Amino acid sequence: MLNLIDCSTIGSTITAGGDCLAARVTLTQAADSFGAAPLDASEIARALALAGCRDCAVEAVTVTGSTNEDLVARARVRQPSGPLVRAASFQTGGRGRRQRRWRAAPNHALLFSAAIPVGVCPDSLPAITLACGVALADCLATHGVAVQLKWPNDVRSNGCKLAGILTELVTDRNAAHTVVIGVGINLHLDDAARSAIEQPAIALDQLLGGVALQSREQWIGHLGGAIVAAAARFMQDGFAPFYARFNQLLESRGKVVDVSQDEVAAEPAISGRLIEVDRLGRLVIEAEGQRHRVSVGDVSVRP
């Protein structure tokens, strides 16, 4: 039995109507203890359908531990029958890579995860995080937000973190695979959140003003649709369609950087010029006339 951390939820299944809508919706209505209206799953589904994702199940809750953990727990039991997007107004245990905590006040971030059933895992599967970064960047660009991508999973604007991506591969008891892709995007940052975050951060309302706060459902639908579409293309074609675009958006390209590698494997840090990401999504660093390819690590720019 799954132990999901939904507070005061009542689940029902509905279908979003409309000429161009065929998105399947699981509407989870939740008592909102934070003062803002609960997320409306049917509105998210409508935005997903307009973004081209018409067969995607949608769930919306007010609070949960982590949308990624919710979907990972289910996928370990059984692979979903199709794409599923789960969104929350607040996460009590949101996290990023290396278990770093995601910090955001209730209703102050766009928080969602997508579970994508996988047939055959491509060799370049770790690079799906980079492909999703490209998808988010291009979707944000259509809304007037220019960003860069920090390898491997950060979306940044004006040198500050705007969003992060967490991708996990899950195998169920029948050996069927699911990729769970979690996204957190700063919508608004109060003083408490800024002081708790360990790096410069920026929010959509700083970049777009009050228009950024008008509809969380529209944002989640548009961005979620981009993620689902990118994952589908990646499963078919691998990283190749995203390779050039990621390098166009790659932050600090051509600059001297320090890359801390896998601490568990005791890999040494590398310092050198950031050349590109290769066709498998690995970071290419040139140091002392040699090129090194890094699969796991964190990048920091030399002052």
Side-chain angles (χ1 to χ4, degrees):
M1 180 175 180
L2 299 182
N3 184 22
L4 303 183
I5 317 172
D6 297 348
C7 296
S8 304
T9 59
I10 302 172
S12 62
T13 302
I14 63 175
T15 301
D19 294 339
C20 63
L21 299 181
R24 182 165 51 89
V25 182
T26 301
L27 175 59
T28 307
Q29 296 176 329
D32 188 353
S33 59
F34 304 118
L39 286 169
D40 187 335
S42 63
E43 288 300 316
I44 295 173
R46 186 180 298 275
L48 278 165
L50 291 173
C53 185
R54 294 180 172 83
D55 61 349
C56 190
V58 180
E59 297 174 0
V61 297
T62 298
V63 60
T64 189
S66 160
T67 55
N68 250 46
E69 287 297 328
D70 293 346
L71 297 185
V72 164
R74 291 190 219 172
R76 286 194 180 117
V77 176
R78 181 181 301 165
Q79 182 191 63
S81 59
L84 165 62
V85 171
R86 180 172 174 85
S89 297
F90 180 59
Q91 295 183 144
T92 60
R95 60 184 174 85
R97 289 177 62 244
R98 301 188 177 186
Q99 300 300 315
R100 292 170 180 142
R101 184 177 175 185
W102 176 271
R103 300 179 184 276
N107 304 306
H108 284 188
L110 304 171
L111 305 169
F112 66 91
S113 298
I116 313 292
V118 178
V120 178
C121 294
D123 292 338
S124 60
L125 185 60
I128 194 171
T129 302
L130 281 61
C132 290
V134 169
L136 289 181
D138 287 345
C139 185
L140 288 166
T142 66
H143 293 275
V145 179
V147 299
Q148 289 184 300
L149 300 176
K150 181 182 177 184
W151 182 91
N153 69 319
D154 283 354
V155 180
R156 290 163 60 87
S157 179
N158 300 317
C160 301
K161 182 169 180 175
L162 174 66
I165 304 166
L166 176 65
T167 304
E168 300 177 84
L169 178 65
V170 187
T171 304
D172 71 10
R173 59 188 63 172
N174 296 314
H177 302 301
T178 303
V179 171
V180 178
I181 304 161
V183 176
I185 302 178
N186 297 322
L187 192 58
H188 173 75
L189 289 169
D190 57 24
D191 292 340
R194 288 186 187 280
S195 63
I197 297 173
E198 298 177 350
Q199 61 178 300
I202 198 167
L204 284 175
D205 65 348
Q206 292 175 257
L207 299 169
L208 296 175
V211 66
L213 306 177
Q214 288 181 3
S215 175
R216 291 176 294 155
E217 289 89 350
Q218 290 293 313
W219 277 115
I220 292 169
H222 292 164
L223 294 164
I227 290 290
V228 171
R233 189 174 187 192
F234 185 94
M235 293 304 169
Q236 179 175 331
D237 300 322
F239 186 55
F242 306 94
Y243 162 76
R245 181 62 175 150
F246 188 92
N247 279 304
Q248 288 177 349
L249 295 166
L250 179 58
E251 185 183 62
S252 305
R253 189 177 186 187
K255 296 182 179 180
V256 176
V257 300
D258 297 320
V259 183
S260 60
Q261 298 192 74
D262 190 344
E263 297 176 0
V264 176
E267 294 286 347
I270 295 177
S271 297
R273 192 169 305 280
L274 197 166
I275 303 300
E276 65 166 0
V277 298
D278 68 12
R279 295 184 181 276
L280 293 177
R282 299 173 299 184
L283 197 68
V284 180
I285 301 293
E286 187 173 75
E288 299 180 351
Q290 295 186 337
R291 292 196 171 185
H292 306 265
R293 285 169 168 77
V294 181
S295 297
V296 179
D298 288 311
V299 177
S300 58
V301 182
R302 290 280 186 88

